[in-house]
Amino acid sequence: MNDIKIKTVNLSKWYSKIIGLNSFQLDISSGITGLVGPNGSGKSTFFKLAIGALKPKTGQIIVLGQNPWMNQKLMSDIGFCPDYDSLSDETTGKEFLELVGGLHGLKGINLKNRIDETSEIVGMKEDLYRKIGGYSKGMRQRIKIAGSILHNPKLLLLDEPLSGADPNVRKSLINLIKSLKNDLGHDIVVSSHVLYEIERMTSKIALIYKGRAIASGEISDIRNLIDEHPHNIIIEGTKLEELAKKLLEKKYTISVGYQENRKKIKVQVSKPDEFFDNITEIITDLNCEVTQMYSLDDNLEAVFNYLVER
Amino acid sequence: MLDITDNLTKFFALIKYSTRKILFKKRIIIAFLILLTVISVLGYAGSQQTDKLTTGSDLLGLLIVWFFMPAICMIYGCSVIRDEIEDKSITHVITAPINRILAYSSYYVSLIICLSLINLIIFSLGFISFFGQKGIDSEAISIYTTFLGLVILGVFIYSALFLLTSVIFKRPIYFGLFFVFIWEGFIGTIPGNIQKISFNFYLRSIGSKQLEYITINGATNVITSLAIIFGSILILIILGSIFFKTKEFS
């Protein structure tokens, strides 16, 4: 129970007629947790509620055991990197970090040392004296992350830290985020609408859609949820017509369709475990020659699609 | 003790950053244009055959104290916090462990530091442009100190008002334009009791007790005027702090 970093209970937030979060239920424990959902799903609203920038309409959010609304002291333990550009072009990276450090009560040699350390961690030491207006997208993301870790917070909230960055920068930011956990011990909540990227940072995810947390846990746990929902399998080989007929007799088969000039069939099943248990026997009985069989649902993207469409 | 030191560090960090931001933003060009206008007008007037003290005090009052000073306060006051809300750089303030009332006070202090400095430069150079040609004697110095006092007092009250509007309104400049040009500029000069609901009236009242060249009907005494002005500043800062503390930043 003590491991819970963020807990929400029936948390709702809406802006006039637009729903940000709707009876949102989620427990986030230590480590790196990925929040995954399409744009507009409520990820940023969740972060804004977690940092006390927004007040819940109903329900409750507890961060590190405290209510964040009008609780500025809690911010000592939280580092936040927003998804939007929050930097002033006219200031230098150093001035920005001095402001953030000063606002966290750092001064003098301590502030200078922390600026040196964090700029080193994010690889921005050489560019600290340049105006932020001249920074690339990747550099802006890095300096924002530096600002969020400057005061050595217990919990880091990174909202879409990879958005807009080119592939090389994405890769290095992913490594940076992993090292923030592995080397510096920060607990991190990181959001993205790209599942592939989250998968590279953590195996622990929460899927958000239309203001609700539709699933959360280890990717393997979420994969089990797939089994409760239709599963698509592609089979390539000979005697596909007979195979299709046989499969349609099974209760777990929802539909069978041809693909690519009848060279393949796409089978949609409700219980993949039963399908995989039986398919070898069916193929043997029919004397089919199956050259390829694969599930369309083997990646995280498919998990997400299943869950958001139900 | 640690808490006080800690809060002072945060307070001054924000003042330092905000002051630098106000002074080095492109908006400072407006202050330069106003300075050029003031120097040109007062410089030209100083070269004409006019009564030094009457014309000098009339021009300094009309041009700077009753017009440009509130206008500059409006331009800067309406934008300090609002600009940060719009460009979202306020995020780094609201996600810091600084009490929002303290943060709001930092913005106010930054604003009055910058506006006092800008208005001091404009007023002093305007004064020199006119009286430098006519001769600076003790009476001219008396005009300078009285009007400068009113300018600084004006900066305190107008900054408090416009900073509050920048937290409340999405487009505070519309309120600002109305307030400076219609409320203070027009209603504040209408004879009768209605003028008493403008800050302009109380600044004039204080000035009229110090200088014979500032005239106003039904002026209140200095203590009352100062009490109303400082009372208003306090109320405006408290209101602004409450709005800022409870504001949602989406």
Side-chain angles (χ1 to χ4, degrees), chain A residues 90-106:
Chain A
E90 288 122 355
T91 54
T92 64
K94 185 170 177 283
E95 287 166 354
F96 165 69
L97 293 179
E98 280 174 349
L99 167 73
V100 174
L103 287 172
H104 282 88
L106 296 170

Side-chain angles (χ1 to χ4, degrees), chain B residues 194-233:
Chain B
I194 192 158
Q195 63 182 340
K196 290 185 179 176
I197 48 173
S198 72
F199 296 128
N200 182 314
F201 172 81
Y202 297 101
L203 290 173
R204 277 175 193 271
S205 292
I206 295 166
S208 70
K209 303 291 180 190
Q210 313 301 315
L211 272 183
E212 57 181 298
Y213 308 105
I214 301 174
T215 55
I216 184 170
N217 290 324
T220 53
N221 66 54
V222 175
I223 302 293
T224 308
S225 299
L226 282 174
I228 289 171
I229 285 176
F230 282 109
S232 301
I233 291 171

Side-chain angles (χ1 to χ4, degrees), chain B residues 123-138:
Chain B
F123 181 78
S124 299
L125 292 179
F127 174 83
I128 291 166
S129 304
F130 184 87
F131 286 97
Q133 299 180 72
K134 300 279 186 188
I136 300 175
D137 52 20
S138 61

